[in-house]
Amino acid sequence: MKLSISKKQKTDADMRYLNKFIKPLASLILLLSIVGCSDKEKENETESASLNLFEYRAITVIVPNVGGRTIRGPVLDEAKLFSEKTGASVRVVTPGWKSTIGKIKESLTDPKINFDIFVIITSWGGSLLGENHIEPIPEWVKEKIEWKDVLPVYKNSILSWGNKPYGLPYDGDCVNLYYRKDIFANNTNQEKFFKKFGYKLTPPTTWDMYEDIAKFFDGWDWDDDGKIEHGIAENRLRGYGSVLQFFTRAAAYAKHPDDKAYYFDIATMKPRINNPGFVEAFEDYINIMKYGPKEMLNLQTDDIRKSFISGDVAMAIDWADMGPMAVNSDISVVKDRVGYAALPGYDRVYNNKTKKWDSQYNNPSSIAGNWTILVNKDSKDKKLAFEFAAHMTSPILTKKLITIGWTGINPSRYSHFEDMSDWDGSGFSPSDTREYLNTISKSLDNENVMVDIRIPGASKYYDVAGEYIDLALKGKMEPKEALDKISLKWDEITDSLGRKSQIQLYKKSVNY
Amino acid sequence: MENYSIKKISSYGFFILMTGLIISASILIFLLFKLEDIREKLTLIQNTHKSFLQLKNDTERLLTTGELEESIISLIKSSKKFNNTLKMSDEYNLKEIDELWYVCQKEISAIVENLQKPIFNPKNIKHKPLLHRRGELFLQNDSNEFYILLTEVTDSIEFLLQNEIFILDIFEKIDNNQKIYEKIELKKTKKYAVFFPLTVLIITTILAVFISKIATKTEKNLAQNEAFLDSVIENIPNMIFVKDAEELKFVRFNKAGENLLGYTRNELLGKNDYDFFPKQEADFFTQKDREVLDLKALVDISEEQIETKYKGKRILHTKKITLFDEKGKPEYLLGISEDITEQKRLEDQLRQTQKMEAIGILAGGIAHNFNNNLAIILGNLEMGQRKFSEPEKVKNFIEVAKTAALRSRDLVNQILTYSRQGSSTKEPIYLKLVIDETRKMLQSTLPTTVKLHYQAMLGASEIIINADPNRIQEALLNLCNNAVQAMDEKGDLNIYLDKVDLSKHDIPAQYDCLPGLYVVLSVEDNGGGMDQATLDKIFDPFFTTKKVGKGTGMGLATVQGIVDQHGGLIKVHSTTSEGSRFELYFPMTEEVQLTSQKQEKIVPQQGTEAILLVDDDELLVDLGKQILTDLGYIVTTAINGHDALMIIEKNPQQFDLIITDQSMPKMTGLELAQKIKKLNSQSLVILMTGYSSKILEGDIGKHGISAYCRKPLRLVELSQVVRRVLDGAC
Ligand SMILES: Nc1ncnc2c1ncn2[C@@H]1O[C@H](COP(=O)(O)OP(=O)(O)O)[C@@H](O)[C@H]1O
Ligand SMILES: [Mg+2]
């Protein structure tokens, strides 16, 4: 008993000792855990600040380099903003125009190369769509980009394939004529011109008239800047731009208003490229070069715009970009001096069905070279891809872009024509804006329209055309010979892709 | 058990502490290794990053340098170098970089291939940067082909640069992430370095507190238990003592012990029995103690005497048992003693009272019976006197008086038996023979409505007991008599002979019998049975439920006396209106030394000799004549000595043997014997007497008596004595 009592006393003492220890210990632990927790919270905060919807997700966008910042510029800018905003990595690559389609093709077969978004002209789309590489636009994207607002000509034909929408409406394009309002209105020039050609100097309504005016303004300093000016600037650098310029002119000669087909016979896919209408147009196309700068062969879209806005030429054939560019580019000297007009027409038109020239004024519009945004069907992150594509083609962004010249982006929506508020800071005067938009909308209203080749193999047809057109431009081949060659090559391409299916697809592409 | 749990908890505690320490240490080591790993990875990635920066510089240089060939070479070199470093960091799964690098490599080889075309000769390039040269060419209308090619190359380089920038971005991200990761890991490591040892410390501390709490509680419990046990022992009203096994000294004593012995605990502890009790007592205690310690079993001492300090001699009922140590060696002796002195005294008192009561009943019974008989005798004698003139009637009165007198004689015999004063000679006998003889007797006297069954165990004929066969027969007859009466003279009467091994428990307390083998002689009837009140008294002398003349109440008392004489016991099982069974137990004789001769003795001995039987009791004379005739003898009877002498005188040689009763009116048996001897000195005489007398037995031969025979006559005994006398054994 005695022993046990002393033991008890001892344990009591132990307890007191332990208690002494435990209390500070416990508070220390509490303190530590609080410090640890608050540390962690801070970490979480900083993390969540940078954490976003698409954190650690990446897509690659391919846009061809068409010179300068045209088309690719907005994509590069917006990709950067979008990445910053969402945490996603939107990588934009801009290979040269010529190598772009090759790189796209390569990516479709090489599993190590992947593009999620293609920003391309509609003519290339046909080949991707025909081979089923493109994801149709989902409903939620349609809603997001206000698909209903898109002009019917784009919505129903150019951006759709088999009545299903695939292309997002980045750009709406028709080719127009730009001229120097000021020098055309100049009395001396008026008198001089009348004296020389026997009719009044006005914006040209025919290609013949266009040639007269070009001739008139070429080779002298008509603006007193001490520099020799030229009549025109047109795209002649080997490639799509040059070919398109040719097809745009040839439309007046060979795009019969009663025939939806233009490049090929609708029933046989037999090329019409070497018919008398195309030949005559091609000869004029070559002939006109003498009224442009000596480096005309090196000029592509971007250069033409630069030469026009820097006051080097009196007229230019270009997409709608020229308008805004003229008023808001730094190097522009032609602000408020630009006139807008529909493309010139022709006094007769070749009827391919009758194989005869019809004597009637023919003035079709050229709705070609539209830029669209397509999402790869095999993209590993379609959601992100569509998010970005929708961002790029939203009414708000495009409305801003159409007012900026260098972007290459032109009206494609009803809203682009209706609400003028965005033009306020563009440099356009309100009257100019109306004139500009009227010209475009008139072109778009035209029943007789020339569009791109939009069938699989389009780039091949264009490449072949570009190659032989270039040879003829350089005098290495007779115009007729070059066009015959193109016709021959086109048939080869058609056969290699399957004539029957090409016929069907061509019919589809012209809404026959 | 609680001690054990403390041990367990302590060892668990130690285990937890150790595991905790090991876990903390391993986690810390693991974290440090991880940190090192991250460092390594970071360095490797940084190196790869660096080598890629070189590559990007070289790519840019292509556009800006005049020395195209040189920059092509350094581009190829840095591209190879980067490719190698990238392969080294392969394990870090830089898949994204891999893919982009794949595109870059393709572009680089395309660029290099293009730039190595002859058109890019120094003459055409003019040692000017490519961009610069392209600007120049744009303005020339004659170099369109070269312009186109140059544009293609510069576009291509731009494309390459774009991809390179993506790779750089990824590197930067990885760098950052890695750095952040490292930071986090470092923080974690720091935190864990504090947290884990601290946790272990806390757990250990909590455990320590827990253990100490349990220990305290356990100790308290133990103390409580101890106190409880102490108080139990202390308050048990019996003396409890503990002695050490070595010297038998007291080591523990309770209050009851102190009170009983009159000594205090302090006086007792450390001392032994010899210090307090008389030598004789102390010897006894010590002897018992040793017995307990040797036997290692409980020893129950039902009575022992002890000299106390103040209360004088006390009688104790003590139980002693050995307490062993852990090794199984006797360590202590525990004793518990109950003071039964008072109880004993009360018992004695009770016994005395019962005795007095029994004597009262006995005396009353005797008086009552004798009074009855005397009344009959006197009444008849008086009537005889009165009717002296009518001899026929007188004879009848005398007859009745005589019967009453005889009944009184029987009564005396029975009382003598009960009080064990009747003589009895015990010898080894075959019990079965006695039963067989009795059965034979019963068979001829039982009413035909009673069925007698007999059932003996296997080997029953071998059973030998040390007994007086006449007594056994008497007991059996009494039981059967009762049974027949209980059944109202109709039913089944069963007799069983069996053998049992009686243990201590089987022996009722009032018997002083030893456990062992017993013979059971049972008599069973299916008569009226008895209630408990009756059962309690049936063995009392003169207790009867029967009408006067039907029972005397001495039957079972006699049976009891007989059984007592044989060292046996009686058990009764009875259920009202179902029946009763009386079981007589006799100890079995172990050694079977009975010779065939002895066996013959028990078997009724037969003969053909002529015998004269003399007895004043006519009933007896008839019985004796019947028995002897049955045995083959030729029997002549006489009812007094005078008649007998007259018969003998006619032809003194005609009888081989004369059997005479001792107590006869006018002439006793002895007197008759003497007279017969005078007539024929060769005559053989057997004297029958009502009670045993050593003196009489000593007289055998003196008065010409050949043998002595006890009354009442018993077949076997009589046949044996007769044969013995006739065969000249005496
Ligand atoms: N077998 C039996 N069945 C029922 N009662 C019995 C039996 N044996 C004895 N008794 C009871 O025990 C009493 C005492 O018997 P006993 O001593 O032989 O005297 P008695 O027979 O002269 O009455 C009987 O009066 C009777 O009441
Ligand atoms: Mg009786």
Side-chain angles (χ1 to χ4, degrees):
Chain A
M1 268 308 212
K2 252 189 176 171
L3 189 77
S4 72
I5 285 165
S6 68
K7 247 191 209 165
K8 189 177 150 64
Q9 279 169 344
K10 197 178 164 236
T11 47
D12 278 354
D14 277 352
M15 290 269 275
R16 246 172 279 134
Y17 179 69
L18 283 171
N19 275 338
K20 235 188 208 170
F21 238 95
I22 288 164
K23 271 181 194 163
L25 205 70
S27 36
L28 184 70
I29 289 155
L30 204 73
L31 206 82
L32 274 167
S33 59
I34 287 164
V35 170
C37 278
S38 61
D39 248 27
K40 193 146 208 174
E41 268 163 33
K42 260 186 233 155
E43 259 172 44
N44 282 345
E45 267 169 22
T46 50
E47 265 167 34
S48 66
S50 67
L51 206 143
N52 259 308
L53 191 58
F54 299 114
E55 180 85 68
Y56 303 124
R57 285 161 72 170
I59 49 167
T60 307
V61 184
I62 184 165
V63 201
N65 177 355
V66 293
R69 282 166 51 72
T70 306
I71 303 300
R72 62 172 178 159
V75 180
L76 287 162
D77 293 348
E78 292 303 320
K80 215 171 147 204
L81 287 171
F82 187 83
S83 296
E84 276 165 17
K85 218 169 71 187
T86 63
S89 297
V90 179
R91 297 174 184 144
V92 183
V93 290
T94 64
W97 170 273
K98 227 189 117 187
S99 58
T100 298
I101 199 75
K103 285 194 155 60
I104 290 175
K105 288 267 157 76
E106 193 181 22
S107 81
L108 298 177
T109 52
D110 190 335
K112 284 185 101 173
I113 307 172
N114 296 295
F115 300 117
D116 301 276
I117 294 177
F118 310 111
V119 182
I120 50 171
I121 47 165
T122 47
S123 68
W124 288 350
S127 120
L128 294 173
L129 286 160
E131 285 162 27
N132 197 23
H133 288 300
I134 303 303
E135 183 75 15
I137 306 173
E139 275 315 308
W140 68 270
V141 178
K142 270 193 192 170
E143 222 149 90
K144 207 164 185 173
I145 61 172
E146 294 176 34
W147 181 250
K148 277 182 201 150
D149 185 37
V150 180
L151 291 173
V153 65
Y154 298 118
K155 194 163 63 180
N156 298 334
S157 62
I158 289 166
L159 299 176
S160 289
W161 183 260
N163 287 327
K164 217 174 190 182
Y166 285 88
L168 284 92
Y170 185 35
D171 170 39
D173 255 324
C174 59
V175 182
N176 288 304
L177 173 81
Y178 302 88
Y179 66 95
R180 285 290 292 273
K181 211 160 59 169
D182 55 336
I183 58 159
F184 268 52
N186 181 285
N187 281 338
T188 332
N189 291 343
Q190 285 278 346
E191 275 165 31
K192 262 190 184 167
F193 186 84
F194 194 80
K195 224 168 151 183
K196 193 166 178 182
F197 297 103
Y199 61 96
K200 194 176 168 350
L201 173 60
T202 58
T205 52
T206 67
W207 287 106
D208 288 337
M209 198 174 162
Y210 174 76
E211 193 180 331
D212 287 346
I213 299 168
K215 189 179 171 188
F216 178 74
F217 283 114
D218 187 58
W220 56 283
D221 182 11
W222 33 255
D223 60 356
D224 291 325
D225 64 350
K227 231 167 75 186
I228 303 296
E229 272 82 34
H230 299 283
I232 53 150
E234 280 187 27
N235 198 325
R236 289 295 184 277
L237 183 70
R238 191 172 73 201
Y240 173 73
S242 164
V243 177
L244 184 64
Q245 193 97 59
F246 167 53
F247 288 162
T248 298
R249 173 188 276 256
Y253 298 67
K255 173 68 185 68
H256 200 281
D258 302 333
D259 189 353
K260 282 191 174 175
Y262 176 44
Y263 303 102
F264 304 97
D265 274 349
I266 203 99
T268 60
M269 268 304 272
K270 195 181 155 22
R272 293 177 177 178
I273 186 92
N274 52 350
N275 76 10
F278 274 100
V279 174
E280 200 169 305
F282 192 37
E283 282 163 357
D284 289 350
Y285 177 76
I286 297 168
N287 193 42
I288 198 82
M289 281 174 70
K290 57 185 177 239
Y291 306 123
K294 62 179 188 322
E295 72 273 19
M296 189 95 148
L297 269 178
N298 291 341
L299 293 189
Q300 54 179 337
T301 311
D302 193 43
D303 310 312
I304 293 157
R305 290 167 192 170
K306 277 181 193 149
S307 57
F308 181 76
I309 61 174
S310 50
D312 290 343
V313 292
M315 289 186 296
I317 303 284
D318 191 18
W319 287 282
D321 310 86
M322 190 67 95
M325 194 139 179
V327 294
N328 54 34
S329 169
D330 289 342
I331 59 162
S332 177
V333 296
V334 297
K335 204 168 176 283
D336 300 328
R337 296 177 189 171
V338 182
Y340 318 96
L343 283 173
Y346 206 47
D347 281 333
R348 51 181 191 156
V349 57
Y350 185 77
N351 188 333
N352 204 65
K353 286 172 186 162
T354 56
K355 308 286 179 206
K356 273 186 202 147
W357 287 93
D358 288 339
S359 297
Q360 62 183 80
Y361 179 63
N362 190 39
N363 187 29
S365 336
S366 163
I367 304 178
N370 298 276
W371 291 86
T372 183
I373 297 184
L374 301 172
V375 170
N376 190 343
K377 196 171 195 155
D378 299 321
S379 163
K380 280 178 196 122
D381 199 342
K382 272 181 243 180
K383 170 86 174 79
L384 177 57
F386 269 117
E387 282 286 349
F388 182 66
H391 173 73
M392 285 311 300
T393 57
S394 68
I396 296 166
L397 181 67
T398 50
K399 201 168 173 187
K400 211 166 68 200
L401 295 177
I402 57 170
T403 67
I404 300 163
W406 55 263
T407 60
I409 304 304
N410 304 122
S412 59
R413 295 167 171 273
Y414 287 118
S415 62
H416 288 161
F417 294 98
E418 281 156 7
D419 181 10
M420 310 253 173
S421 59
D422 271 303
W423 294 91
D424 285 351
S426 67
F428 270 106
S429 69
S431 61
D432 277 354
T433 305
R434 211 159 298 121
E435 201 188 326
Y436 169 72
L437 291 175
N438 274 341
T439 309
I440 296 167
S441 71
K442 234 184 254 160
S443 297
L444 291 172
D445 279 347
N446 198 334
E447 297 252 302
N448 195 9
V449 168
M450 163 254 148
V451 296
D452 279 318
I453 302 174
R454 290 205 308 136
I455 53 175
S459 67
K460 282 182 185 154
Y461 292 118
Y462 279 108
D463 280 353
V464 166
E467 197 181 314
Y468 289 100
I469 286 169
D470 188 56
L471 284 173
L473 290 182
K474 287 174 182 163
K476 291 179 182 164
M477 215 178 246
E478 281 304 306
K480 173 77 167 80
E481 194 190 348
L483 295 184
D484 285 344
K485 219 40 189 204
I486 293 169
S487 172
L488 217 76
K489 291 277 176 189
W490 278 14
D491 267 336
E492 279 173 25
I493 295 166
T494 304
D495 285 333
S496 74
L497 296 170
R499 186 165 295 269
K500 228 171 156 186
S501 71
Q502 290 295 91
I503 289 169
Q504 290 308 310
L505 294 167
Y506 185 59
K507 275 182 182 168
K508 240 185 208 175
S509 77
V510 295
N511 302 311
Y512 188 77
Chain B
M1 200 212 131
E2 273 153 328
N3 277 326
Y4 175 58
S5 78
I6 289 177
K7 217 162 121 193
K8 231 169 155 182
I9 290 166
S10 310
S11 56
Y12 283 165
F14 181 72
F15 178 73
I16 289 168
L17 178 68
M18 285 328 276
T19 350
L21 283 176
I22 289 165
I23 289 170
S24 314
S26 358
I27 285 173
L28 286 180
I29 287 168
F30 170 76
L31 288 173
L32 285 174
F33 272 120
K34 204 169 163 195
L35 220 57
E36 204 179 286
D37 195 46
I38 292 164
R39 263 281 148 72
E40 252 170 48
K41 197 171 163 185
L42 194 60
T43 336
L44 196 60
I45 286 168
Q46 273 169 348
N47 284 343
T48 320
H49 188 178
K50 233 187 252 164
S51 91
F52 189 75
L53 269 175
Q54 180 59 46
L55 175 73
K56 198 207 156 209
N57 282 341
D58 287 340
T59 311
E60 275 168 352
R61 232 160 56 118
L62 275 183
L63 291 172
T64 54
T65 182
E67 304 309 316
L68 192 59
E69 249 164 283
E70 222 173 80
S71 41
I72 288 171
I73 289 163
S74 72
L75 178 71
I76 292 168
K77 235 161 78 185
S78 55
S79 145
K80 267 184 191 153
K81 196 180 154 202
F82 173 70
N83 203 37
N84 288 339
T85 39
L86 189 67
K87 265 181 198 150
M88 265 166 56
S89 25
D90 211 26
E91 55 178 306
Y92 300 122
N93 194 23
L94 306 170
K95 191 175 165 255
E96 232 183 341
I97 290 180
D98 256 4
E99 278 184 7
L100 288 166
W101 174 235
Y102 172 78
V103 175
C104 289
Q105 273 176 309
K106 275 193 143 196
E107 207 61 33
I108 288 170
S109 40
I111 291 165
V112 169
E113 197 188 315
N114 263 333
L115 286 178
Q116 277 166 351
K117 279 181 185 164
I119 198 163
F120 286 98
N121 59 33
K123 204 187 97 212
N124 275 344
I125 299 293
K126 292 182 175 166
H127 293 289
K128 282 175 181 161
L130 289 178
L131 282 178
H132 185 98
R133 188 70 190 117
R134 196 186 122 192
E136 279 183 359
L137 285 170
F138 174 69
L139 297 172
Q140 293 170 9
N141 57 354
D142 56 348
S143 306
N144 177 261
E145 278 312 313
F146 189 40
Y147 173 75
I148 288 172
L149 218 76
L150 201 50
T151 307
E152 260 175 47
V153 170
T154 51
D155 283 354
S156 201
I157 292 169
E158 197 182 337
F159 177 73
L160 173 61
L161 274 169
Q162 284 168 342
N163 280 298
E164 285 176 353
I165 286 165
F166 301 151
I167 293 177
L168 274 182
D169 278 352
I170 295 172
F171 268 123
E172 251 153 52
K173 237 181 225 166
I174 293 174
D175 260 14
N176 266 346
N177 282 349
Q178 209 65 13
K179 266 177 200 156
I180 290 168
Y181 189 50
E182 191 190 25
K183 236 188 201 163
I184 291 169
E185 284 299 314
L186 199 70
K187 224 183 219 168
K188 234 202 258 169
T189 313
K190 275 186 206 159
K191 237 186 254 172
Y192 289 169
V194 178
F195 177 74
F196 281 103
L198 225 77
T199 312
V200 173
L201 197 70
I202 292 161
I203 291 171
T204 319
T205 314
I206 290 168
L207 220 74
V209 174
F210 185 59
I211 290 170
S212 92
K213 256 187 183 164
I214 283 184
T216 316
K217 206 174 144 194
T218 308
E219 264 159 26
K220 225 158 106 189
N221 281 347
L222 280 175
Q224 267 173 4
N225 278 352
E226 211 170 288
F228 176 70
L229 282 177
D230 274 352
S231 99
V232 167
I233 291 168
E234 196 59 18
N235 291 305
I236 285 178
N238 290 344
M239 172 167 80
I240 287 176
F241 57 90
V242 178
K243 295 172 177 177
D244 73 283
E246 283 290 296
E247 298 178 78
L248 296 174
K249 281 181 180 164
F250 294 114
V251 294
R252 181 136 197 183
F253 239 92
N254 72 346
K255 200 156 68 194
E258 287 178 321
N259 289 345
L260 176 70
L261 298 182
Y263 300 103
T264 65
R265 204 165 300 197
N266 287 345
E267 284 174 288
L268 286 159
L269 295 180
K271 308 217 175 91
N272 67 23
D273 291 324
Y274 291 97
D275 296 322
F276 302 100
F277 312 114
K279 177 158 187 315
Q280 209 186 340
E281 280 178 19
D283 278 347
F284 178 75
F285 298 148
T286 311
Q287 178 221 324
K288 284 285 174 193
D289 288 349
R290 286 296 164 207
E291 204 177 299
V292 170
L293 293 171
D294 288 347
L295 281 173
K296 296 180 179 175
L298 179 113
V299 168
D300 189 333
I301 305 149
S302 56
E303 258 177 58
E304 63 179 4
Q305 193 178 293
I306 193 163
E307 188 70 42
T308 65
K309 197 171 175 184
Y310 301 117
K311 293 182 181 169
K313 280 198 192 305
R314 305 298 289 182
I315 297 163
L316 301 180
H317 175 198
T318 302
K319 284 175 181 172
K320 293 180 175 173
I321 192 158
T322 316
L323 300 179
F324 301 97
D325 63 11
E326 292 120 46
K327 287 166 194 158
K329 240 179 70 192
E331 191 173 17
Y332 296 110
L333 178 125
L334 169 71
I336 176 160
S337 300
E338 188 182 2
D339 184 353
I340 56 168
T341 318
E342 207 57 24
Q343 195 180 323
K344 265 278 163 195
R345 196 179 57 78
L346 284 173
E347 269 173 26
D348 284 351
Q349 243 172 34
L350 188 68
R351 215 169 290 144
Q352 198 61 32
T353 319
Q354 279 170 343
K355 223 180 206 167
M356 297 304 284
E357 199 177 18
I359 287 166
I361 294 168
L362 183 63
I366 291 166
H368 173 77
N369 271 284
F370 272 84
N371 262 346
N372 279 350
N373 287 338
L374 282 174
I376 293 165
I377 294 163
L378 286 174
N380 279 291
L381 286 178
E382 219 164 283
M383 288 301 287
Q385 270 180 334
R386 265 188 228 168
K387 304 274 178 171
F388 191 71
S389 54
E390 298 165 65
E392 269 313 299
K393 277 188 182 163
V394 172
K395 195 188 171 195
N396 202 33
F397 288 135
I398 293 170
E399 202 66 35
V400 175
K402 190 183 167 191
T403 309
L406 283 172
R407 216 165 29 218
S408 296
R409 188 193 60 185
D410 284 347
L411 197 62
V412 170
N413 263 338
Q414 282 172 328
I415 292 166
L416 285 173
T417 304
Y418 174 68
S419 58
R420 299 195 196 182
Q421 280 173 26
S423 72
S424 96
T425 44
K426 283 191 277 180
E427 55 191 337
I429 56 162
Y430 286 104
L431 183 58
K432 185 160 181 287
L433 292 176
V434 182
I435 294 164
D436 286 345
E437 190 190 320
T438 315
R439 270 170 56 219
K440 214 182 259 174
M441 254 168 78
L442 282 167
Q443 214 76 60
S444 54
T445 53
L446 282 176
T448 48
T449 47
V450 172
K451 287 232 160 59
L452 175 67
H453 308 278
Y454 168 65
Q455 201 179 323
M457 56 164 288
L458 222 82
S461 53
E462 300 298 318
I463 291 173
I464 296 168
I465 57 169
N466 202 28
D468 181 339
N470 295 319
R471 290 286 183 224
I472 301 294
Q473 196 170 56
E474 190 182 349
L476 189 53
L477 281 170
N478 271 329
L479 291 180
C480 290
N481 203 24
N482 280 346
V484 171
Q485 284 182 335
M487 292 188 295
D488 226 352
E489 310 221 321
K490 51 182 179 285
D492 292 311
L493 173 61
N494 293 307
I495 298 172
Y496 303 109
L497 180 58
D498 223 326
K499 202 167 82 176
V500 291
D501 195 352
L502 286 187
S503 70
K504 213 173 148 188
H505 301 291
D506 299 324
I507 299 167
Q510 71 261 30
Y511 293 100
D512 225 356
C513 300
L514 291 171
L517 272 180
Y518 280 74
V519 178
V520 196
L521 181 58
S522 314
V523 176
E524 190 184 67
D525 63 69
N526 52 4
M530 292 166 275
D531 57 14
Q532 190 58 45
T534 311
L535 270 173
D536 286 343
K537 292 179 197 151
I538 53 174
F539 293 105
D540 293 347
F542 299 107
F543 171 79
T544 182
T545 58
K546 293 165 191 167
K547 283 182 212 149
V548 181
K550 281 269 180 183
T552 57
M554 275 308 289
L556 289 177
T558 311
V559 173
Q560 176 81 65
I562 292 166
V563 168
D564 284 349
Q565 276 174 0
H566 287 84
L569 52 103
I570 306 176
K571 287 185 180 179
V572 186
H573 307 277
S574 183
T575 315
T576 349
S577 74
E578 272 185 24
S580 320
R581 190 170 79 240
F582 286 79
E583 295 167 350
L584 311 185
Y585 292 79
F586 300 105
M588 262 178 79
T589 309
E590 291 293 324
E591 63 276 21
V592 186
Q593 276 179 343
L594 280 176
T595 57
S596 57
Q597 192 191 352
K598 268 192 172 172
Q599 188 170 5
E600 273 165 36
K601 260 179 154 181
I602 300 167
V603 177
Q605 305 288 300
Q606 303 197 335
T608 50
E609 287 89 347
I611 296 170
L612 176 65
L613 181 62
V614 188
D615 198 323
D616 61 328
D617 188 336
E618 266 178 80
L619 283 169
L620 246 168
V621 170
D622 286 350
L623 182 64
K625 187 184 176 183
Q626 198 187 327
I627 291 170
L628 291 168
T629 310
D630 279 355
L631 290 168
Y633 298 103
I634 302 149
V635 183
T636 309
T637 59
I639 54 164
N640 52 54
H642 186 71
D643 284 359
L645 280 176
M646 287 221 323
I647 294 166
I648 294 164
E649 274 167 11
K650 284 175 191 169
N651 181 4
Q653 261 83 43
Q654 66 175 304
F655 299 109
D656 299 307
L657 175 69
I658 296 121
I659 302 171
T660 175
D661 187 20
Q662 160 63 8
S663 46
M664 286 183 294
K666 292 173 190 167
M667 195 192 288
T668 67
L670 271 175
E671 287 167 355
L672 178 63
Q674 281 160 5
K675 285 181 178 162
I676 290 168
K677 281 283 175 177
K678 277 176 192 166
L679 289 173
N680 180 4
S681 62
Q682 298 299 305
S683 289
L684 300 170
V685 179
I686 294 172
L687 187 70
M688 297 189 290
T689 175
Y691 52 90
S692 163
S693 156
K694 296 271 174 197
I695 304 149
L696 270 177
E697 264 181 71
D699 288 345
I700 288 170
K702 256 187 202 169
H703 308 285
I705 305 292
S706 303
Y708 158 81
C709 187
R710 190 166 49 93
K711 275 171 88 179
L713 286 174
R714 294 284 170 250
L715 172 73
V716 176
E717 190 190 15
L718 185 62
S719 76
Q720 284 167 353
V721 175
V722 168
R723 203 65 249 159
R724 204 170 64 209
V725 173
L726 282 172
D727 292 346
C730 306

